[in-house]
Amino acid sequence: MPNTPIVNGVNYSWANISMILFGTPIVGILSIDYKRKQKKENNYGAGPQPVSRGYGNYEYEGSIELYTDTWKDIIASSPNRDPLQITPFDIPVTFGGTGVATTKDVLRAVEFLEDPLEGKSGDTKLTVKIPLIIG
C-alpha cells in the first residue's frame, strides 16, 4: 500500500496551548511538562520465567517554566507571599486552534514544590522552572 500524505494536516504546536492559573490566562509561560506513570513488574516463582505481573500505584509529576516576573506576580498574591502555601489548585491545559480539534487536559490538586531563582551574567531574560506535585 502506498503512503498517502495527509492534505492540509495540522499538528498541535506550542501556539495551540493555553493555560489558566488561578483564573488568569498565563502568557509568561515557556514550557509545561507532565506525565503519569505506573509501576509494573514481572513476578517470578520457580524457574527463570515470570509467573505473573504486579501493578503498582500511579504516579504523577510535572513542572512549568515561567518568566521570573510572572512567577513574582504569583508570589505577590500568595498567602504570606509564599507560593508553597497555596492550597491545591487545578491547571486546565487547552489545546486548540485553527485546523486542530480542541481538547483539554486538567491537572488536578496541583501544588508548587519549590520557589527557585536562577540568573547569570549575560542573561537577556530570567526564567524559573517550578516542579509540581499533581494529585
Side-chain angles (χ1 to χ4, degrees), residues 54-89:
Y55 297 90
N57 294 336
Y58 282 98
E59 295 179 26
Y60 302 85
E61 60 185 61
S63 67
I64 57 174
E65 185 176 6
L66 304 168
Y67 284 113
T68 299
D69 60 332
T70 300
W71 181 237
K72 294 291 185 189
D73 290 343
I74 292 170
I75 291 171
S77 60
S78 300
N80 301 314
R81 298 184 54 82
D82 183 355
L84 305 181
Q85 292 183 19
I86 297 173
T87 58
F89 56 93

Side-chain angles (χ1 to χ4, degrees), residues 26-69:
I26 300 298
V27 295
I29 184 167
L30 297 161
S31 70
I32 182 164
D33 89 65
Y34 49 93
K35 66 182 173 183
R36 175 178 75 136
K37 61 184 177 180
Q38 182 183 26
K39 183 176 181 178
K40 298 178 183 183
E41 67 182 26
N42 289 331
N43 300 317
Y44 294 86
Q49 299 298 323
V51 296
S52 66
R53 181 162 294 147
Y55 297 90
N57 294 336
Y58 282 98
E59 295 179 26
Y60 302 85
E61 60 185 61
S63 67
I64 57 174
E65 185 176 6
L66 304 168
Y67 284 113
T68 299
D69 60 332

Side-chain angles (χ1 to χ4, degrees), residues 87-101:
T87 58
F89 56 93
D90 292 348
I91 300 178
V93 181
T94 305
F95 304 82
T98 305
V100 294

